[in-house]
Amino acid sequence: MNRLGYIFLYLCLGLVAVFQILPIVWLFLFSLKGNREIFAGSPFALPQEWKWENYLTVWEGGIGTYFFNSVWITVVAIILTSLLASMATFAITRMQWKLSSLVLGLFMVGLMIPIHSAIIPLFNMFLNVNLIDNPWSIVITYTAYNLPITMMILLGFYYTLPREIEEAAIIDGCSIHRLFFRIILPMTTPVLSTIVIINMIYNWNEFVFVNTFISSDQYKTLTVGIQNFIGQYMTDWGAIGATLIISLLPILLAFIFFSNKVVEGISSSAVKG
């Protein structure tokens, strides 16, 4: 490609980047305005009065509790999903047993099930075991639904791991548990970074399950807590914008610092040895 072609390519990429950044800029300006200015002024106009108190309003309105709930539910679900998916993938790809293909097929069937099609059966199940209005119902649901896609990403990477490492460890007297936790799991760090980001995006932004299974404010996450700023007669749109900015920051920071790890993990898991 000649120099003119590269210039045209970078111009196109720059234009795409601008269109990607504009919604974030608009949302930030939106969060610093009052209701009258939001609807009367230009969307991208600077606020006439910078209402930083919108952030204080949402924090005093309970956003700190919602933020903490989102963080710990997301983290616990990611840890459980990554660990269980890694163990299952290790058993299917690195161990020899008759039903391994059948078990893998059952997990992959989960990819074909619409995520929210099982809300009613899940609600009945959690109701029977007293997990309605309990954050662990959300953790269990996130873990179960993220297992198939997580295993699919891990499969390609596990197939590329050299068996000589396992054979050498077993000859040295390494047990199967130590083999997995001390040797195999650390080797999968690049692809684990990818699945952590993918799981984080889904868990952090999920709305329907939390809205269905959780009713107490003390257990709600950010996505559901935003509804508290929507009133019957008046809605504080600036506060909603501030809440959205706060909820956007963790995902944005994760992409900024770990985007190269995501690309590296996807590339490494796409090649089968």
Side-chain angles (χ1 to χ4, degrees):
M1 185 181 296
N2 56 28
R3 186 174 181 180
L4 184 60
Y6 277 112
I7 293 175
F8 178 75
L9 175 63
Y10 283 118
L11 284 175
C12 292
L13 292 176
L15 187 62
V16 171
V18 168
F19 277 107
Q20 294 289 333
I21 295 174
L22 273 179
I24 301 176
V25 174
W26 170 81
L27 183 60
F28 177 70
L29 297 176
F30 182 95
S31 69
L32 296 173
K33 297 178 180 179
N35 283 357
R36 186 177 65 177
E37 192 174 356
I38 287 173
F39 293 104
S42 171
F44 291 98
L46 294 177
Q48 296 176 2
E49 181 183 355
W50 296 76
K51 290 184 172 294
W52 295 101
E53 60 267 24
N54 286 340
Y55 289 88
L56 181 61
T57 299
V58 298
W59 195 263
E60 292 176 345
I63 200 67
T65 301
Y66 305 146
F67 186 86
F68 174 75
N69 289 336
S70 292
V71 169
W72 84 259
I73 288 174
T74 298
V75 170
V76 172
I78 287 174
I79 292 174
L80 288 176
T81 304
S82 303
L83 182 59
L84 294 176
S86 297
M87 294 171 68
T89 307
F90 174 77
I92 290 172
T93 60
R94 314 304 290 184
M95 302 173 67
Q96 295 182 358
W97 44 294
K98 292 182 179 180
L99 299 179
S100 60
S101 298
L102 175 62
V103 172
L104 175 60
L106 290 176
F107 275 109
M108 292 301 103
V109 167
L111 292 171
M112 297 182 289
I113 300 176
I115 292 178
H116 298 119
S117 65
I119 287 182
I120 295 177
L122 283 173
F123 186 90
N124 290 331
M125 181 183 72
F126 290 139
L127 185 63
N128 291 332
V129 295
N130 296 320
L131 282 180
I132 291 298
D133 200 25
N134 188 315
W136 284 104
S137 62
I138 304 301
V139 173
I140 293 171
T141 303
Y142 289 174
T143 302
Y145 268 106
N146 287 333
L147 273 176
I149 184 63
T150 303
M151 288 181 61
M152 187 179 70
I153 296 173
L154 287 170
L155 278 172
F157 191 89
Y158 270 79
Y159 279 124
T160 64
L161 296 177
R163 292 192 176 273
E164 289 78 9
I165 297 177
E166 300 173 22
E167 295 170 355
I170 293 173
I171 291 174
D172 289 339
C174 185
S175 66
I176 191 68
H177 302 92
R178 290 187 63 188
L179 172 64
F180 174 74
F181 286 105
R182 299 291 295 274
I183 299 176
I184 300 299
L185 194 60
M187 293 174 62
T188 62
T189 302
V191 72
L192 284 176
S193 301
T194 302
I195 63 177
V196 164
I197 295 297
I198 292 175
N199 279 270
M200 178 183 176
I201 293 172
Y202 171 77
N203 296 346
W204 189 267
N205 294 324
E206 204 281 323
F207 174 84
V208 176
F209 287 132
V210 180
N211 193 49
T212 304
F213 300 152
I214 302 296
S215 57
S216 300
D217 282 344
Q218 60 180 328
Y219 299 135
K220 288 181 179 179
T221 59
L222 272 173
T223 52
V224 178
I226 294 175
Q227 295 180 101
N228 287 358
F229 299 101
I230 301 176
Q232 182 177 1
Y233 301 107
M234 182 176 179
T235 299
D236 191 347
W237 292 104
I240 291 177
T243 305
L244 292 174
I245 285 291
I246 293 173
S247 66
L248 176 66
L249 282 177
I251 300 294
L252 190 61
L253 292 174
F255 262 109
I256 291 174
F257 290 105
F258 299 107
S259 58
N260 58 332
K261 291 290 184 181
V262 173
V263 174
E264 179 183 349
I266 293 176
S267 301
S268 60
S269 63
V271 180
K272 178 178 176 180

